[in-house]
Amino acid sequence: MSDTLEQAAAELNEKLAGAGFDATAKFAIADMGAIVLDGSGARVSDEEADVTLSADADTFQQILSGDLNPTGAFMSGKLTIDGDMGVAMKLASVLA
């Protein structure tokens, strides 16, 4: 499973490149682990962050691939957010 997380972190690094994301956010993926994103990029980690976005692996993959809008996932209950909503919105615009 860590290979999946490492691959997802690499994809997130591509999306974050040059985006100027200056906060910390954590994707907590059910039954897999977590990825933390900050100004230096994305990495597999479970450290504290300004906001934690929680979803199952399928929802996370759909968001990452662009098939599911993060805001739509939140509104439909597939994605939960704990922490700074402003940071979550900033991250959603980077991933869109």
Side-chain angles (χ1 to χ4, degrees):
M1 285 196 223
S2 64
D3 287 346
T4 303
L5 290 177
E6 291 289 347
Q7 180 181 0
E11 289 180 41
L12 285 166
N13 276 322
E14 289 177 20
K15 290 181 181 277
L16 287 171
F21 186 72
D22 58 357
T24 57
K26 177 167 54 175
F27 273 111
I29 305 153
D31 301 322
M32 292 186 75
I35 297 172
V36 172
L37 303 87
D38 60 21
S40 63
R43 63 195 168 283
V44 177
S45 175
D46 195 23
E47 62 199 66
E48 289 296 314
D50 297 324
V51 65
T52 300
L53 300 93
S54 303
D56 62 27
D58 186 50
T59 299
F60 174 70
Q61 189 57 46
Q62 288 179 41
I63 291 170
L64 194 59
S65 68
D67 293 335
L68 180 61
N69 179 297
T71 304
F74 173 71
M75 298 299 270
S76 67
K78 293 181 177 183
L79 176 71
T80 59
I81 299 173
D82 182 30
D84 190 327
M85 188 61 83
V87 173
M89 292 174 69
K90 186 182 223 184
L91 180 60
S93 69
V94 170
L95 296 178

